[in-house]
Amino acid sequence: MMLSEGNQSIIPTFVLLGFSEYPELQVPLFLAFLSVYTVTVVGNLGMTVIIKINPKLHTIMYFFLSHLSFVDFCYSSTVTPKLLENLLVEDRTISFSGSIMQFCFACLFGVTETFMLVAMVYDRFVAVCNPLLYATAVSQKLCALLVAGSYSWGIMCSLTLTYFLLALSYCESNIINNFICDHSVIVSVSCSNPYISQMMCFIIAIFNEVSSLIIILTSYVLIFITVMRMPSASGRWKTFSTCASHLTGITIFHGTILFLYCIPNPKTSWLIVKVATVFYTVVILMLNPLMYSLRNKDVKDTCRKLVVSKLLCCSR
């Protein structure tokens, strides 16, 4: 809701401070984030293409990974371009509609990624703990439903929180001490009581984090027990290695979020908040395709063939 002044509507604008308190670092940060964003776009879109063209990667695990790569690309493209722009220009304003849209899409893709990782751990759990039932327990139909459910829940959470943000009133000009319009910073500059919006965000965030972590931790405890019962040391190592990339991604993603929201007094630690936010909204999205591709021979072979064929076409 926008403030009204007589018969005139005041359209609020926000100023994203970002890293403006470090003017000498603007160019180095721009180059660093531009490099990260380039790797993120190439890595995630490249992973999607590689999975599509290589029949050996037409498996359930890589079906999930192709959607994870798509979500990571969309998430990064929602956040990083505005961050790069603010590092170059002095005018760091963002329109009210722009800030709401950025939050809406960031929330959608963030929640979707959370539950896409849960769907992937279900695949690993069945593959390790019930390999004989894998074909029936992890069917194409069920996997499609898990992916559709992740997107649907992300959309529902995003639209719900966006609705309550739009119900608030905002001042004409507000300064946001961050580089992204997340829920907490938008609420902090509202001119009305944000209690209901904050409670809705708290409930949704707690439900998403607790439910996903319970499923993930329970699954990996059972996977660990199953692996430790294997008589062959080489078999144990091979099974652990198939789960290593996924477990690393989950640890970084959830570990950063838990660290960010467990800071006792974020108002006195804005730099820590910004660095942690950069990590889970920018850096992790670059790491996911690297972690999954560097450990897989089929992915590396397909990538090598694509590069060679491209070079041959250019040399003709």
Side-chain angles (χ1 to χ4, degrees), residues 43-45 47-51 57 59-73 116-117 119-120 123 147 151 245-246 287-294 296 299:
N44 284 293
L45 293 183
M47 178 66 77
T48 304
V49 171
I50 287 170
I51 292 171
L57 299 177
T59 63
I60 298 299
M61 184 63 182
Y62 281 93
F63 170 72
F64 288 134
L65 184 56
S66 65
H67 282 279
L68 181 68
S69 296
F70 172 73
V71 170
D72 282 346
F73 164 72
M116 201 71 72
L117 291 171
M120 292 172 73
D123 172 76
V147 169
Y151 283 113
S245 299
H246 182 250
L287 295 178
N288 277 340
L290 296 179
M291 288 188 295
Y292 287 103
S293 62
L294 293 177
N296 188 285
V299 172

Side-chain angles (χ1 to χ4, degrees), residues 159-209:
L159 292 179
T160 300
L161 294 177
T162 301
Y163 170 79
F164 283 101
L165 283 178
L166 290 173
L168 298 175
S169 298
Y170 297 91
C171 301
E172 184 177 0
S173 180
N174 299 283
I175 296 177
I176 294 178
N177 193 8
N178 210 324
F179 64 89
I180 181 176
C181 297
D182 66 12
H183 187 274
S184 60
V185 297
I186 295 178
V187 163
S188 68
V189 295
S190 68
C191 299
S192 54
N193 188 352
Y195 177 77
I196 296 178
S197 183
Q198 288 175 320
M199 283 303 300
M200 286 301 302
C201 183
F202 177 77
I203 292 169
I204 290 174
I206 289 296
F207 173 80
N208 290 343
E209 194 67 15

